[in-house]
Coordinates of all heavy atoms in Angstrom, one line a residue:
G270 N -7.4 8.3 -0.6 CA -8.3 9.4 -0.5 C -7.6 10.7 -0.8 O -6.4 10.8 -1.3
L271 N -8.3 11.8 -0.5 CA -7.8 13.2 -0.7 C -7.4 13.7 0.7 O -8.2 13.6 1.6 CB -8.9 14.0 -1.3 CG -8.6 15.5 -1.4 CD1 -7.5 15.8 -2.4 CD2 -9.9 16.2 -2.0
V272 N -6.3 14.3 0.8 CA -5.8 14.9 2.0 C -5.0 16.2 1.7 O -4.4 16.3 0.6 CB -4.9 13.9 2.7 CG1 -3.7 13.5 2.0 CG2 -4.6 14.3 4.2
Q273 N -5.0 17.1 2.6 CA -4.1 18.3 2.4 C -2.7 18.0 2.7 O -2.3 17.1 3.5 CB -4.7 19.4 3.4 CG -6.0 20.0 2.9 CD -6.4 21.2 3.7 OE1 -6.0 21.3 4.9 NE2 -7.1 22.1 3.1
A274 N -1.8 18.8 2.1 CA -0.4 18.7 2.4 C -0.1 18.7 3.9 O -0.7 19.6 4.6 CB 0.4 19.7 1.7
G275 N 0.7 17.8 4.4 CA 1.0 17.8 5.8 C 0.2 16.8 6.6 O 0.4 16.5 7.7
G276 N -0.9 16.3 5.9 CA -1.8 15.3 6.5 C -1.3 13.9 6.5 O -0.1 13.6 6.0
S277 N -2.1 13.0 6.9 CA -1.7 11.6 7.0 C -2.8 10.7 6.4 O -4.0 11.0 6.4 CB -1.5 11.2 8.4 OG -0.5 11.9 9.1
L278 N -2.4 9.5 5.9 CA -3.3 8.5 5.5 C -2.6 7.2 5.8 O -1.4 7.0 5.9 CB -3.5 8.5 3.9 CG -4.4 9.6 3.4 CD1 -4.4 9.6 1.8 CD2 -5.9 9.4 3.8
R279 N -3.5 6.1 6.0 CA -3.0 4.8 6.2 C -3.6 3.8 5.2 O -4.8 3.8 5.1 CB -3.4 4.3 7.6 CG -2.8 3.0 8.0 CD -3.5 2.5 9.3 NE -2.7 1.4 9.9 CZ -3.3 0.5 10.7 NH1 -4.6 0.5 10.9 NH2 -2.5 -0.5 11.2
L280 N -2.8 3.3 4.4 CA -3.2 2.3 3.4 C -3.2 0.9 4.0 O -2.2 0.6 4.8 CB -2.3 2.3 2.2 CG -2.2 3.7 1.5 CD1 -1.4 3.6 0.2 CD2 -3.6 4.3 1.1
S281 N -4.1 0.1 3.6 CA -4.1 -1.3 4.0 C -4.2 -2.2 2.8 O -4.8 -1.9 1.8 CB -5.3 -1.6 4.9 OG -5.3 -0.9 6.1
C282 N -3.6 -3.4 2.9 CA -3.7 -4.4 1.8 C -4.0 -5.7 2.4 O -3.1 -6.3 3.1 CB -2.4 -4.4 1.0 SG -2.3 -5.7 -0.2
A283 N -5.2 -6.3 2.1 CA -5.5 -7.6 2.7 C -5.2 -8.6 1.6 O -5.7 -8.5 0.4 CB -7.0 -7.6 3.1
A284 N -4.5 -9.7 2.0 CA -4.2 -10.8 1.0 C -4.9 -12.0 1.3 O -5.0 -12.4 2.5 CB -2.6 -11.0 1.1
S285 N -5.4 -12.6 0.3 CA -6.0 -14.0 0.4 C -5.0 -15.0 0.1 O -3.9 -14.7 -0.5 CB -7.2 -14.1 -0.5 OG -6.8 -14.1 -1.8
G286 N -5.2 -16.2 0.3 CA -4.3 -17.3 0.0 C -3.3 -17.5 1.1 O -3.3 -16.9 2.1
S287 N -2.3 -18.5 0.8 CA -1.5 -18.9 1.9 C -0.1 -18.4 1.7 O 0.8 -18.8 2.5 CB -1.4 -20.5 1.8 OG -1.0 -20.9 0.5
I288 N 0.2 -17.4 0.8 CA 1.6 -17.0 0.6 C 2.1 -15.9 1.5 O 3.2 -15.6 1.6 CB 1.7 -16.5 -0.8 CG1 0.9 -15.2 -1.0 CG2 1.3 -17.6 -1.8 CD1 1.4 -14.4 -2.2
F289 N 1.1 -15.3 2.2 CA 1.5 -14.0 2.9 C 2.7 -14.1 3.7 O 3.5 -13.2 3.7 CB 0.3 -13.5 3.7 CG 0.5 -12.1 4.2 CD1 0.2 -11.0 3.4 CD2 0.9 -11.9 5.5 CE1 0.5 -9.7 4.0 CE2 1.1 -10.7 6.0 CZ 0.9 -9.6 5.2
T290 N 2.8 -15.1 4.6 CA 3.8 -15.1 5.6 C 5.2 -15.2 5.0 O 6.2 -14.8 5.6 CB 3.6 -16.2 6.6 OG1 3.5 -17.4 6.0 CG2 2.3 -15.9 7.5
T291 N 5.3 -15.7 3.8 CA 6.6 -15.9 3.2 C 6.9 -14.9 2.1 O 8.0 -14.8 1.6 CB 6.8 -17.3 2.6 OG1 5.7 -17.5 1.6 CG2 6.6 -18.4 3.6
A292 N 5.9 -14.1 1.7 CA 6.1 -13.2 0.7 C 6.8 -11.9 1.1 O 6.7 -11.4 2.3 CB 4.7 -12.8 0.0
V293 N 7.5 -11.3 0.2 CA 8.0 -9.9 0.4 C 6.8 -9.0 -0.1 O 6.4 -9.1 -1.2 CB 9.2 -9.6 -0.5 CG1 9.6 -8.1 -0.3 CG2 10.3 -10.6 -0.2
M294 N 6.3 -8.2 0.8 CA 5.2 -7.3 0.6 C 5.7 -5.9 0.3 O 6.5 -5.4 1.1 CB 4.2 -7.3 1.7 CG 3.6 -8.7 2.1 SD 2.7 -9.5 0.7 CE 1.4 -8.2 0.5
G295 N 5.1 -5.3 -0.7 CA 5.6 -3.9 -1.0 C 4.4 -3.0 -1.4 O 3.3 -3.5 -1.7
W296 N 4.7 -1.8 -1.3 CA 3.8 -0.7 -1.8 C 4.6 0.0 -3.0 O 5.7 0.4 -2.8 CB 3.5 0.3 -0.8 CG 2.5 -0.2 0.2 CD1 2.7 -0.8 1.4 CD2 1.1 -0.3 0.0 NE1 1.6 -1.2 2.1 CE2 0.5 -0.9 1.2 CE3 0.2 0.1 -1.0 CZ2 -0.8 -1.1 1.4 CZ3 -1.2 -0.1 -0.8 CH2 -1.7 -0.7 0.4
Y297 N 3.9 0.1 -4.1 CA 4.5 0.9 -5.2 C 3.5 2.0 -5.5 O 2.3 2.0 -5.1 CB 4.5 0.0 -6.5 CG 5.6 -1.1 -6.4 CD1 5.5 -2.2 -5.5 CD2 6.7 -1.0 -7.3 CE1 6.5 -3.1 -5.5 CE2 7.7 -2.0 -7.2 CZ 7.6 -3.0 -6.4 OH 8.6 -4.0 -6.3
R298 N 3.9 3.0 -6.3 CA 3.0 4.0 -6.7 C 3.4 4.4 -8.2 O 4.5 4.3 -8.6 CB 3.1 5.2 -5.8 CG 4.4 6.0 -5.9 CD 4.5 7.1 -4.8 NE 5.7 7.9 -4.8 CZ 6.1 8.7 -3.9 NH1 5.3 8.9 -2.8 NH2 7.2 9.4 -4.0
Q299 N 2.3 5.0 -8.8 CA 2.5 5.4 -10.2 C 1.7 6.7 -10.3 O 0.4 6.7 -10.2 CB 2.0 4.4 -11.2 CG 2.3 4.7 -12.6 CD 2.1 3.5 -13.6 OE1 1.4 2.6 -13.2 NE2 2.7 3.6 -14.7
A300 N 2.4 7.8 -10.7 CA 1.8 9.1 -10.9 C 1.6 9.2 -12.4 O 2.2 8.5 -13.2 CB 2.8 10.2 -10.4
P301 N 0.7 10.1 -12.8 CA 0.4 10.3 -14.3 C 1.6 10.5 -15.1 O 2.4 11.4 -14.7 CB -0.6 11.4 -14.3 CG -1.3 11.4 -12.9 CD -0.2 10.9 -12.0
G302 N 1.8 9.8 -16.1 CA 3.0 10.1 -17.0 C 4.3 9.5 -16.5 O 5.3 9.8 -17.1

């Protein structure tokens, strides 16, 4: 979402399937350009 500088957000990622407990889970980001 949109937040002002200094604010907070919490991202969630729900996974289906049976791999979750053994997987390395990560968050990546990509800014324009």
